[in-house]
Amino acid sequence: QVQLVESGGGLVQAGDSLRLSCAASGRTFSSYAMGWFRQAPGKEREFVAGINWNGGNTYYADSVTGRFTISRDNGRDTLYLQMDSLKPEDTAVYTCAGAESPFIPRRTTMYPYWGQGTQVTVSS
């Protein structure tokens, strides 16, 4: 299996940017489709963005399209989420997840491997 550790969260103001990282260890990172999810207080965990094994395909939730960019560096076993033009409604715990899949899953149940999450707080 693969172990995932997120970093890069923090407290920022609306309109600012943050870049989250997800470092992978264990089995071959490059064989996994990867996703970013988030969970705000009192809400269910939701899909934010996903990327296939080689970075050739990406998919975004409508709420972040045009503002967030997912990418990966298979040589460094690391997944990224560049978040620009942040809004207060982006406040949540962000978690990366991995799946041995040729496509990009969007349901949480399709991802067997999860990190511990990193808090992102956007003030107005």
Side-chain angles (χ1 to χ4, degrees), residues 32-102:
Y32 287 76
M34 299 296 297
W36 284 101
F37 290 78
R38 67 186 181 187
Q39 187 168 21
K43 295 187 177 181
E44 292 188 353
R45 181 177 283 175
E46 64 174 356
F47 174 85
V48 174
I51 189 167
N52 75 326
W53 67 276
N54 67 354
N57 289 307
T58 58
Y59 190 85
Y60 298 92
D62 290 343
S63 58
V64 306
T65 297
R67 299 188 299 121
F68 290 11
T69 303
I70 189 172
S71 62
R72 66 191 299 162
D73 184 341
N74 287 345
R76 296 178 182 270
D77 292 344
T78 304
L79 174 74
Y80 302 100
L81 184 68
Q82 176 67 39
M83 305 185 294
D84 299 320
S85 302
L86 282 161
K87 304 175 181 180
E89 51 264 44
D90 295 318
T91 295
V93 175
Y94 285 72
T95 308
C96 62
E100 293 181 278
S101 172

